[in-house]
C-alpha cells in the first residue's frame, strides 16, 4: 500500500495542541487561506487554557511582550464579530495595588517605561487610590490602573476559537493523541492514536507543558518546568468589583489577584504554585495554599473574610527560566514552529499569538517582534 493511501489528512499546516494558542492559530490561519488540521489529545481548552484565572491584562508584562499584547487586546475587543461567539470579555480595567514603598516605586517606574509601547496607566497614591477604588483597603500605598484591560471566561475562549476554525473549514480532531512525528524531504508526518497519519509541510507545536519532549526530539531542548497555579471561587455577592485587582508584590506568597463576574462570584488565585504529574496529566491541589491566600486577599478587600469558598481547582502551566514564552520558527528545522511556555500569562496573548503565528505560517514574516521569544536563546545560553 502506498503512503498516499495511508494518509488520513493532508493540509498546509498541522497544529499539535488545542489550547487557546493552537485553536486561535487554526482560526486565523483559515482566514489567510491555509488549510489546517488541529490535533488535540484530550478536549480543546482542557488544560491551562481552560483552567486559568481569565486575566486579560497588558499591565505588568515584560516590555518586549507589549507589541504582541497590544495586538491581542485589539482582537479581544472584536472577538464576537470575528468568531461569532461571546467569551464574556469585560473591558473593566486592571488594578495593581501596592502596600510597600519599594513595590510602589516599581509600579511608578513601569508606568513610565511602558508609555513608549502604547500602554498608558493611571497612578493613584494613598487616599486617591481608595477614593478611586472604594472597595480597597484603606492602607493601600499606591494603585496602578490600566483602564482598557479586563477579564474573560477561560472555559469559553479556546473552544470558541476551535468551533470558529471548524466553521471556517479547519479539521479539528479531539481525543487524538500525537504518538510520533517524523519529517521527510518535504513534509511532517504525524502519527496519532487512531492509527492515522496526517501530513503537512508546516507543523506548529502548541502542547503547553508537554512541549519540551517534542522540541527535544527535534534537537531543541530547553528548560521548561510544569507548575500548577491554584484558583478558587466564592459564593455570589452583589456585583460591585468591576476591574481585575492584583496585589503587586515581589514576595511570591503575597502575589494574589481577583475578579468578580457579573453573576456575583469572586474568582481569585495566586501565591505559591503546586506540582504537576505530566504523565498522569494531573495538577496537585494544595488546600494550604488557599489558606495562605486568605490574609493577602483580606488585605486587598477587607470584607473578603466574610465570604464562603465554594470551589477550588488547579491547572497545568509551563514556565521557562526567563519567564518568556517560546514563540516563532524553529532555529534548526524548516517548517517547524513553536508557541508554548507562556509562564502563566498566556491567556490574554492567545488571540494575538494566533494571528501572529498565522502570519508566519502564511507569509514567513510578521510585524510583531518575536526575537526575544526564539527558542534559539536557550541554545545560546547553553553555549555560554
Amino acid at each position: 500500500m502506498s503512503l498516499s493511501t495511508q494518509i488520513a489528512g493532508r493540509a498546509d499546516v498541522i497544529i499539535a495542541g488545542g489550547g487557546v494558542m493552537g485553536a486561535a492559530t487554526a482560526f486565523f490561519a483559515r482566514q489567510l487561506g491555509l488549510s489546517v488540521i488541529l490535533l488535540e489529545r484530550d478536549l480543546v481548552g482542557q488544560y491551562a487554557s481552560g483552567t486559568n484565572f481569565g486575566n486579560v491584562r497588558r499591565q505588568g508584562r515584560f516590555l518586549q511582550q507589549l507589541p504582541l499584547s497590544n495586538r491581542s487586546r485589539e482582537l479581544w475587543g472584536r472577538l464576537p464579530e470575528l468568531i461569532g461567539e461571546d467569551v464574556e470579555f469585560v473591558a473593566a480595567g486592571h488594578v495593581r495595588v501596592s502596600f510597600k514603598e519599594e513595590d510602589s516605586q516599581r509600579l511608578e517606574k513601569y508606568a513610565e517605561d511602558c508609555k513608549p509601547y502604547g500602554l498608558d496607566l493611571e497612578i493613584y497614591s494613598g487616599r486617591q487610590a481608595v477614593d478611586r477604588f472604594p472597595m480597597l483597603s484603606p492602607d493601600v500605598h499606591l494603585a496602578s490602573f490600566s483602564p482598557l484591560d479586563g477579564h474573560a471566561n477561560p472555559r469559553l475562549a479556546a473552544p470558541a476559537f476551535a468551533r470558529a476554525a471548524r466553521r471556517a473549514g479547519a479539521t479539528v480532531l479531539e481525543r487524538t493523541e500525537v504518538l510520533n512525528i517524523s519529517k521527510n524531504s518535504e513534509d511532517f508526518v504525524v502519527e496519532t492514536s487512531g492509527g492515522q497519519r496526517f501530513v503537512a509541510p508546516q507543523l506548529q507545536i502548541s502542547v503547553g507543558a508537554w512541549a519540551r519532549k517534542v522540541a527535544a526530539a527535534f534537537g531543541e531542548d530547553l528548560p521548561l518546568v510544569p507548575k500548577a497555579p491554584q484558583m478558587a471561587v466564592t459564593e455570589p455577592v452583589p456585583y460591585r468589583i468591576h476591574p481585575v485587582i492584583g496585589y503587586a508584590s515581589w514576595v511570591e506568597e503575597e502575589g494574589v489577584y481577583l475578579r468578580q463576574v457579573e453573576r456575583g462570584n469572586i474568582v481569585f488565585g495566586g501565591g505559591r504554585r503546586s506540582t504537576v504529574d505530566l504523565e498522569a496529566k494531573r495538577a496537585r491541589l494544595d488546600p494550604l495554599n488557599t489558606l495562605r491566600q486568605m490574609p493577602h486577599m483580606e488585605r486587598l478587600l477587607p470584607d473578603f473574610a466574610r465570604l464562603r469558598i465554594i470551589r477550588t481547582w488547579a491547572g497545568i502551566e509551563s514556565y521557562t527560566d526567563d519567564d518568556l514564552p517560546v514563540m516563532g520558527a524553529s532555529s534548526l528545522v524548516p517548517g517547524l514552529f513553536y508557541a508554548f511556555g507562556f509562564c502563566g500569562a498566556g491567556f490574554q496573548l492567545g488571540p494575538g499569538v494566533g494571528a501572529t503565528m498565522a502570519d508566519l505560517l502564511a507569509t514567513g514574516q510578521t510585524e510583531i517582534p518575536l526575537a526575544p521569544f526564539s527558542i534559539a536563546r536557550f541554545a545560546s545560553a547553553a553555549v555560554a
Side-chain angles (χ1 to χ4, degrees):
M1 183 180 294
S2 67
L3 178 62
S4 62
T5 60
Q6 300 175 33
I7 295 172
R10 183 185 296 273
D12 294 321
V13 58
I14 295 171
I15 301 171
V20 69
M21 306 306 175
T25 303
F27 170 76
F28 285 109
R30 285 299 302 135
Q31 307 312 298
L32 297 179
L34 297 179
S35 55
V36 179
I37 298 172
L38 174 64
L39 304 175
E40 165 54 42
R41 176 183 59 188
D42 294 298
L43 298 176
V44 166
Q46 181 171 333
Y47 295 103
S49 295
T51 59
N52 67 82
F53 172 69
N55 216 348
V56 181
R57 67 166 177 89
R58 293 175 297 159
Q59 177 173 211
R61 292 189 174 276
F62 289 96
L63 296 177
Q64 56 264 54
Q65 276 191 358
L66 285 177
L68 178 62
S69 187
N70 289 340
R71 182 180 194 182
S72 200
R73 172 59 185 85
E74 189 274 332
L75 292 169
W76 275 104
R78 297 194 293 120
L79 280 192
E81 66 182 85
L82 287 172
I83 65 175
E85 297 189 37
D86 178 17
V87 297
E88 299 180 5
F89 172 55
V90 179
H94 179 273
V95 187
R96 301 187 78 199
V97 176
S98 61
F99 294 91
K100 293 178 286 189
E101 175 65 30
E102 56 267 34
D103 294 332
S104 298
Q105 290 176 0
R106 291 188 181 99
L107 291 180
E108 290 176 315
K109 183 178 187 304
Y110 184 86
E112 289 298 319
D113 292 344
C114 70
K115 284 181 179 178
Y117 294 87
L119 179 57
D120 293 318
L121 304 178
E122 302 172 8
I123 299 295
Y124 300 90
S125 299
R127 186 64 204 179
Q128 289 180 330
V130 180
D131 289 343
R132 179 65 177 84
F133 305 104
M135 75 288 289
L136 294 176
S137 168
D139 62 340
V140 166
H141 191 272
L142 184 139
S144 174
F145 182 50
S146 182
L148 299 181
D149 289 351
H151 56 89
N153 190 331
R155 293 181 299 169
L156 301 180
F161 268 112
R163 287 190 292 267
R166 183 182 282 119
R167 289 193 296 269
T171 298
V172 179
L173 300 176
E174 296 179 298
R175 302 199 185 282
T176 304
E177 183 176 4
V178 173
L179 299 180
N180 185 64
I181 302 172
S182 59
K183 190 176 190 301
N184 57 35
S185 59
E186 297 180 352
D187 293 315
F188 292 91
V189 180
V190 179
E191 301 174 55
T192 69
S193 52
Q196 298 174 306
R197 290 187 176 189
F198 299 92
V199 176
Q202 297 185 105
L203 172 67
Q204 177 174 314
I205 303 301
S206 293
V207 295
W210 292 268
R212 179 178 184 177
K213 182 178 180 180
V214 183
F218 286 101
E220 296 181 295
D221 198 5
L222 74 156
L224 191 70
V225 179
K227 298 181 182 180
Q230 189 164 310
M231 270 70 64
V233 63
T234 73
E235 62 183 318
V237 292
Y239 180 51
R240 294 172 181 166
I241 304 172
H242 296 173
V244 175
I245 302 175
Y247 190 146
S249 171
W250 276 254
V251 177
E252 184 180 25
E253 289 81 1
E254 295 177 346
V256 296
Y257 39 79
L258 67 97
R259 65 183 177 94
Q260 187 176 23
V261 300
E262 293 183 3
R263 294 178 292 277
N265 308 82
I266 296 176
V267 183
F268 66 96
R272 297 180 183 177
R273 295 169 177 85
S274 189
T275 56
V276 171
D277 184 338
L278 289 181
E279 290 298 320
K281 301 180 287 186
R282 298 286 293 180
R284 177 176 173 268
L285 185 66
D286 182 4
L288 289 178
N289 192 50
T290 302
L291 295 177
R292 295 186 194 104
Q293 292 168 345
M294 292 301 102
H296 309 302
M297 295 297 302
E298 188 177 356
R299 190 171 191 189
L300 280 176
L301 300 179
D303 291 334
F304 191 84
R306 303 179 185 178
L307 302 181
R308 289 177 294 180
I309 298 171
I310 61 175
R311 186 165 67 93
T312 60
W313 68 95
I316 299 176
E317 296 178 335
S318 56
Y319 293 75
T320 62
D321 58 1
D322 60 7
D323 280 335
L324 291 174
V326 176
M327 181 177 171
S330 164
S331 62
L332 298 178
V333 183
L336 179 62
F337 297 84
Y338 300 116
F340 65 84
F342 287 85
C343 304
F347 183 65
Q348 188 273 347
L349 296 175
V353 169
T356 300
M357 293 305 299
D359 289 342
L360 282 178
L361 293 165
T363 70
Q365 57 188 1
T366 178
E367 295 181 358
I368 301 297
L370 296 181
F373 316 136
S374 172
I375 197 169
R377 72 188 191 270
F378 298 106
S380 301
V383 171

